[in-house]
């Protein structure tokens, strides 16, 4: 979604996102995420959950969308990037822990406007990181045009096509990871 900012720019963006989160509106679970509300409504998040659930009916893969409004400040000082954080989230959310190693994470860092798509080793053998990077770029273009929900839905659709081709649904197709986006 954006070029690589300096450490100062990253600090400013993430501190600002943290300050915005202090201004709560209402009592809903999303009330503290001001930056999140800029891009997604509760209805949008329900549509994303539904799209993931529908996608997973057509293949044996597991999709997970993770949206973070800000990057931990101490990690900026330690030199970590959005890609590093996506890898941490891949592990934290146990996307790697599927029976056939077919988990995919779409990681979105709103404060820095970064999108990273990672997949488990079963996916890499068939799809590869280049294809995942193209899907991330496509999602980023959607964000730039102001259609964040539609961009994620398009990314899910593109991943669904690839997964359906390489990992079609079988008789046994358990839901191994929650379909709801992880938000922090």
């Amino acid at each position: 979604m954006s070029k690589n900012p300096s450490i100062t720019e990253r600090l400013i963006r993430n501190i600002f996102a943290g300050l915005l989160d202090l201004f709560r509106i209402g009592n809903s679970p999303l009330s503290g995420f001001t930056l999140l509300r800029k891009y997604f409504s509760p209805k949008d998040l329900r549509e994303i959950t539904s799209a993931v659930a529908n996608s997973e009916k057509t293949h044996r893969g597991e999709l997970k969308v993770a949206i973070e409004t800000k990057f931990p400040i101490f990690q900026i000082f330690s030199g970590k990037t959005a890609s590093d954080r996506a890898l941490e989230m891949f592990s934290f959310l146990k996307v790697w822990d599927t029976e056939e190693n077919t988990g995919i994470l779409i990681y979105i860092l709103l404060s820095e406007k970064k999108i990273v798509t990672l997949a488990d080793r079963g996916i890499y053998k068939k799809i590869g990181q280049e294809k995942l990077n193209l899907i991330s770029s496509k999602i980023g273009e959607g964000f730039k045009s102001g259609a964040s929900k539609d961009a994620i839905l398009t990314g899910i659709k593109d991943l669904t096509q690839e997964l359906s081709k390489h990992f079609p649904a079988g008789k046994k197709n358990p839901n191994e990871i929650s379909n709801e986006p992880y938000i922090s």
Side-chain angles (χ1 to χ4, degrees):
M1 282 171 57
S2 68
K3 65 181 187 343
N4 292 328
S6 70
I7 195 167
T8 304
E9 290 172 308
R10 292 182 71 205
L11 285 170
I12 290 169
R13 288 178 185 178
N14 287 285
I15 290 170
F16 182 69
L19 291 173
L20 285 176
D21 284 352
L22 294 175
F23 297 100
R24 300 186 77 79
I25 299 173
N27 291 324
S28 77
L30 300 182
S31 64
F33 295 108
T34 305
L35 190 56
L36 179 70
R37 288 193 319 268
K38 176 182 174 183
Y39 292 98
F40 303 103
S41 70
K43 181 182 177 218
D44 293 341
L45 296 174
R46 286 190 299 274
E47 285 183 48
I48 292 168
T49 300
S50 179
V52 169
N54 290 332
S55 167
E56 290 179 357
K57 291 176 185 174
T58 67
H59 55 77
R60 297 184 321 274
E62 290 291 322
L63 299 177
K64 186 66 178 178
V65 176
I67 304 168
E68 288 196 303
T69 57
K70 60 193 173 296
F71 199 82
I73 300 298
F74 68 91
Q75 289 193 359
I76 294 172
F77 284 116
S78 68
K80 289 193 176 176
T81 64
S83 294
D84 297 328
R85 183 68 176 160
L87 192 55
E88 288 177 359
M89 294 305 292
F90 190 84
S91 177
F92 172 73
L93 296 171
K94 297 184 180 183
V95 178
W96 55 268
D97 194 23
T98 62
E99 187 175 333
E100 295 186 60
N101 299 313
T102 54
I104 295 181
L105 174 70
I106 300 172
Y107 175 77
I108 301 161
L109 179 58
L110 296 175
S111 61
E112 296 189 17
K113 301 179 181 172
K114 297 284 185 184
I115 298 168
V116 179
T117 305
L118 297 176
D120 207 345
R121 61 187 173 271
I123 304 290
Y124 282 120
K125 290 177 185 176
K126 302 283 184 175
I127 297 174
Q129 188 62 45
E130 187 175 318
K131 182 72 169 177
L132 297 175
N133 290 344
L134 288 172
I135 291 170
S136 291
S137 295
K138 196 173 182 180
I139 294 171
E141 291 303 314
F143 268 77
K144 286 179 187 174
S145 70
S148 51
K149 176 199 70 170
D150 293 333
I152 291 178
L153 294 178
T154 298
I156 291 169
K157 182 180 146 215
D158 291 349
L159 289 169
T160 301
Q161 290 173 347
E162 289 295 322
L163 289 167
S164 296
K165 182 176 17 172
H166 298 290
F167 303 94
K171 290 180 183 178
K172 183 181 174 191
N173 192 14
N175 186 24
E176 300 176 79
I177 300 174
S178 167
N179 298 328
E180 293 181 2
Y182 172 83
I183 298 167
S184 74

